[in-house]
Amino acid sequence: MTSIGGAGTSGMVDWNLAVATATRLVRPGPDVGRDEARAVVAELRRHAKAAEEHVRAYTRMLPDGTDPRTIADTPVLVVDRTGWIKANVAGFRELLSPLLGKMQERRTAAPGSAVLGAVGGKVTGVELGMLLSFLASRILGQYETFAPATRDLPGAPEGGGRLLLVAPNIVHVERELGVSPHDFRLWVCLHEETHRTQFTAVPWLRDHLRGEIQSFLAATEVDPGTFVERLREAAQTLAGGRPEAEEGDPSPSLVELVQTPEQREILGRLTAVMSLLEGHADYVMDGVGPQVVPSVAEIREKFQARRARGASRLDLALRKLLGLDAKLRQYRDGERFVRAVVDQVGMDGFNRVWTSPNTLPTKSEIAAPADWIARVHRKADS
């Protein structure tokens, strides 16, 4: 097996073992014949291209004269669940390297560190693989902002992003909801293409987000054993070896565990920008949808109900432990922010949000859009 981003067995996590474990444990996709699979892939690629044009026209984020190579260089890849796993392991490895390097230094100072390191890396690799196998059957699409290119998964030049559409998951959900496959596939592409547009139209956004994440990780002061134990608890929950979390369970998520005062400040900014990006994608999807997706109202109603209820108590327990419940709130809060701002100052007025890091909303402004309008618009117009 090809190693992920270099030597896969060094350090705190055996990355190759994570891929192997996730690939072995991931659920099989829906029953799709070879011809139907080819047709699904071809249709998703067509929809991604159509969605690009719809999103550009609706958001007005890419003005006339924009170099088309900016978008063409960020590939759209239709992948299966294994492809999603490999792509995300490569991305995790790149983003987490500062944190894991710091943990490795602490572990190296302990007696018997060589043996413990080899064993611990394999244990953590297995546990990470278990979590990825769970997530791999749930993600419909993903814009990978920090996507190192691999032999199987090309990325944009100079480490830019790529858009992943997970075909078996899209087919599974459209069947589960009983909606039009053609409409649902285009609807999903509208959301994901908005993320692609956000990062191709706003050149500084990727580096800003990377800087915030790296600052968050650099400020982490967490004992390696504690971090691994939280990962183990998540894996045991998935495997049925830990009681499911009850409502109101006070145990922190993995994200909450590694916060220092400095990190809480950074995390507030990250939460705000992620709420903006996710809410904007939902807003655009709903805005474009009625024009090009005939059954958008039915799809939206059924999908929202599915998103709200989760698949099971186990699913809800894992969402809490991994901090995914926060992501669901980001969709709702961010969409309300975007809608309120556009209603007040129009789409071009909203697009001032992309001017610089200083015009991004704060966490408090996401909840109070009028405060963002007052800060950005009235100051600029005075």
Side-chain angles (χ1 to χ4, degrees), residues 13-93:
V13 181
D14 186 330
W15 298 102
N16 287 340
L17 186 56
V19 171
T21 301
T23 301
R24 184 177 70 254
L25 295 178
V26 71
R27 297 175 182 175
D31 186 13
V32 178
R34 182 172 298 180
D35 290 342
E36 183 182 359
R38 289 197 186 102
V40 170
V41 171
E43 184 173 29
L44 286 172
R45 286 175 176 157
R46 290 195 304 272
H47 283 332
K49 181 61 179 176
E52 175 187 320
E53 297 172 3
H54 294 313
V55 169
R56 287 184 65 174
Y58 187 79
T59 64
R60 301 201 288 274
M61 288 180 67
L62 287 164
D64 293 338
T66 299
D67 188 344
R69 291 174 296 180
T70 303
I71 289 182
D73 284 347
T74 58
V76 177
L77 306 178
V78 181
V79 298
D80 59 12
R81 291 170 177 176
T82 298
W84 181 88
I85 289 167
K86 291 180 178 179
N88 276 266
V89 166
F92 286 159
R93 179 169 188 166

Side-chain angles (χ1 to χ4, degrees), residues 12 99-111 113 116 217-227 260:
M12 294 284 297
L99 173 63
L100 296 180
K102 182 188 296 187
M103 291 183 180
Q104 182 66 22
E105 289 177 4
R106 292 188 177 186
R107 174 175 281 179
T108 301
S113 60
L116 290 174
L217 295 176
T220 297
E221 297 294 340
V222 61
D223 176 77
T226 304
F227 183 85
T260 63

Side-chain angles (χ1 to χ4, degrees), residues 352 372-382:
R352 289 193 186 181
W372 180 86
I373 294 172
R375 177 172 66 88
V376 172
H377 277 263
R378 293 173 191 169
K379 179 183 292 187
D381 296 339
S382 61

Side-chain angles (χ1 to χ4, degrees), residues 134-317:
F134 168 81
L135 295 171
S137 62
R138 286 161 171 75
I139 303 298
L140 301 182
Q142 174 184 3
Y143 184 79
E144 282 200 296
T145 314
F146 313 108
T150 67
R151 185 179 63 186
D152 300 325
L153 294 165
E158 300 179 4
R162 61 186 168 216
L163 178 60
L164 304 181
L165 298 170
V166 191
N169 296 350
I170 293 172
V171 171
H172 171 78
V173 174
E174 70 193 25
R175 291 179 179 178
E176 178 185 314
L177 298 181
V179 296
S180 163
H182 174 84
D183 287 3
F184 184 74
R185 294 166 194 175
L186 177 55
W187 187 74
V188 170
C189 287
L190 289 171
H191 181 101
E192 302 307 333
E193 183 59 42
T194 302
H195 288 316
R196 187 165 174 249
T197 297
Q198 290 163 349
F199 284 93
T200 52
V202 185
W204 55 264
L205 184 58
R206 177 178 176 272
D207 287 341
H208 172 72
L209 195 58
R210 176 191 286 276
E212 292 281 55
I213 293 171
Q214 297 293 5
S215 296
F216 179 85
L217 295 176
T220 297
E221 297 294 340
V222 61
D223 176 77
T226 304
F227 183 85
V228 171
E229 180 59 29
R230 295 302 294 160
L231 187 61
R232 180 171 296 118
E233 288 184 13
Q236 288 174 347
T237 300
L238 179 59
R242 176 177 179 267
E244 294 176 13
E246 299 293 340
E247 188 172 354
D249 182 351
S251 61
S253 72
L254 284 170
V255 170
E256 293 168 329
L257 178 75
V258 295
Q259 287 187 60
T260 63
E262 180 183 356
Q263 282 181 299
R264 282 192 288 273
E265 183 177 337
I266 299 169
L267 189 60
R269 296 195 298 268
L270 279 171
T271 298
V273 71
M274 296 309 297
S275 296
L276 170 69
L277 297 178
E278 295 293 356
H280 182 237
D282 264 13
Y283 177 83
V284 171
M285 181 170 60
D286 286 347
V288 175
Q291 305 170 35
V292 298
V293 181
S295 61
V296 65
E298 177 192 6
I299 291 173
R300 184 67 160 154
E301 180 181 0
K302 290 182 175 180
F303 190 79
Q304 285 287 66
R306 180 183 186 274
R307 179 189 277 175
R309 68 176 178 265
S312 65
R313 291 182 67 232
L314 176 61
D315 193 15
L316 294 174

